Amino acid sequence: GLFAGGEDELLVDQDDNPNGFWERTDVVGLNDAILTDSAGAWFNPPGAISSSEETNATAIAILSRLGARSPWLVKDPRMVITWPVWEELLTDALPVYVYRNPVSVAISLQRRNQFPLTFSFALWEHYNRCCLGILQGREYVAVSFDDVSADPARVLGKLEADLIEKGVTLSEPLSPGAFDAGLKRSVAKNSDSRAALLTAEQRQLASYCESLCSGDTAGELPPDESDLLPRIHDLASALE
């Protein structure tokens, strides 16, 4: 129901994601360039984001191409890190926050990148905190990947209703059949034994995010860990 790009504009399928990522190569390339210019990477987020006239012009050009095919979407997890470049260009966009529990994320990163679980948990925390910061003061829609996996018809139906309520007109209805039940292999519960490696702050953040997606009163955002980013930088340095 939303246009992400032509087949030649999207990342190619991979073994770990045979149905595609629905991420534009130009967006991913630009975000990687921004992170590199900021002395960072997707797995080693910089403390501050650098931008230039060139990166801003590239972002404007990408959005101009998308604007001809409304309604459209842009998807790339790196955007929560590079958001300072995109923020002023997407003031009218509706963020869709897709939450995935930390154990599932860590298992995925361990399988694909051989990352240690504690490193993946730290990245999960940083990305989600950045994302939640972006949502502050904006209208948004939130959905849990675990919930979609458990009941695609109900959750995707609610997602469609939420999008319409926020003024997004879909080109066609969201189909529960479009969700690949095979993706359930990527779902793990926070009761998984690997969850024992989560910090108290990460557990609190997971509960907050789950409440946000379910529509319950989430309360105040749990305090962050002051040493989180330095810890990520230290762990990431061993991988470079």
Side-chain angles (χ1 to χ4, degrees):
L2 297 166
F3 177 74
E7 185 175 346
D8 61 337
E9 297 175 305
L10 302 177
L11 292 182
V12 298
D13 304 347
Q14 294 183 8
D15 291 342
D16 63 332
N17 204 334
N19 294 328
F21 295 87
W22 300 99
E23 296 172 10
R24 295 180 61 93
T25 56
D26 51 9
V27 170
V28 173
L30 176 59
N31 283 329
D32 276 337
I34 294 169
L35 291 170
T36 298
D37 290 345
S38 304
W42 71 265
F43 61 90
N44 191 11
I49 290 296
S50 301
S51 62
S52 65
E53 291 186 5
E54 181 180 358
T55 55
N56 290 338
T58 303
I60 291 170
I62 292 170
L63 296 178
S64 296
R65 290 194 291 272
L66 277 167
R69 294 289 301 270
S70 181
W72 52 265
L73 67 86
V74 174
K75 171 184 174 284
D76 181 14
R78 298 163 183 78
M79 287 187 75
V80 303
I81 307 299
T82 63
W83 184 246
V85 173
W86 297 94
E87 184 172 12
E88 292 187 4
L89 305 177
L90 293 172
T91 54
D92 295 329
L94 177 70
V96 178
Y97 173 50
V98 182
Y99 169 75
R100 193 174 178 198
N101 81 66
V103 178
S104 293
V105 171
I107 291 173
S108 178
L109 290 175
Q110 186 180 56
R111 181 187 302 128
R112 189 182 67 207
N113 302 96
Q114 293 76 54
F115 285 176
L117 292 174
T118 53
F119 180 43
S120 297
F121 288 149
L123 285 172
W124 171 90
E125 180 180 359
H126 182 68
Y127 270 72
N128 276 275
R129 287 192 178 279
C130 288
C131 192
L132 293 170
I134 291 169
L135 301 183
Q136 297 301 308
R138 298 177 63 115
E139 281 198 315
Y140 63 88
V141 171
V143 64
S144 164
F145 178 85
D146 288 9
D147 291 345
V148 175
S149 177
D151 191 348
R154 179 185 65 82
V155 179
L156 291 179
K158 182 179 183 303
L159 174 60
E160 180 177 346
D162 289 345
L163 290 170
I164 293 172
E165 181 185 352
K166 301 295 186 184
V168 177
T169 303
L170 303 177
S171 59
E172 58 184 72
L174 298 179
S175 170
F179 178 78
D180 181 3
L183 293 174
K184 290 185 179 182
R185 67 183 184 277
S186 299
V187 176
K189 300 299 183 185
N190 287 337
S191 58
D192 185 289
S193 61
R194 286 162 283 206
L197 295 173
L198 289 165
T199 66
E201 290 82 1
Q202 288 164 354
R203 292 175 184 277
Q204 292 170 3
L205 182 62
S207 296
Y208 177 92
C209 295
E210 288 163 3
S211 296
L212 196 71
C213 292
S214 66
D216 297 336
T217 302
E220 293 187 6
L221 181 65
D224 58 1
E225 302 178 75
S226 59
D227 66 339
L228 178 62
L229 203 52
R231 192 151 35 94
I232 290 174
H233 292 164
D234 179 53
L235 292 166
S237 66
L239 304 174
E240 295 179 329

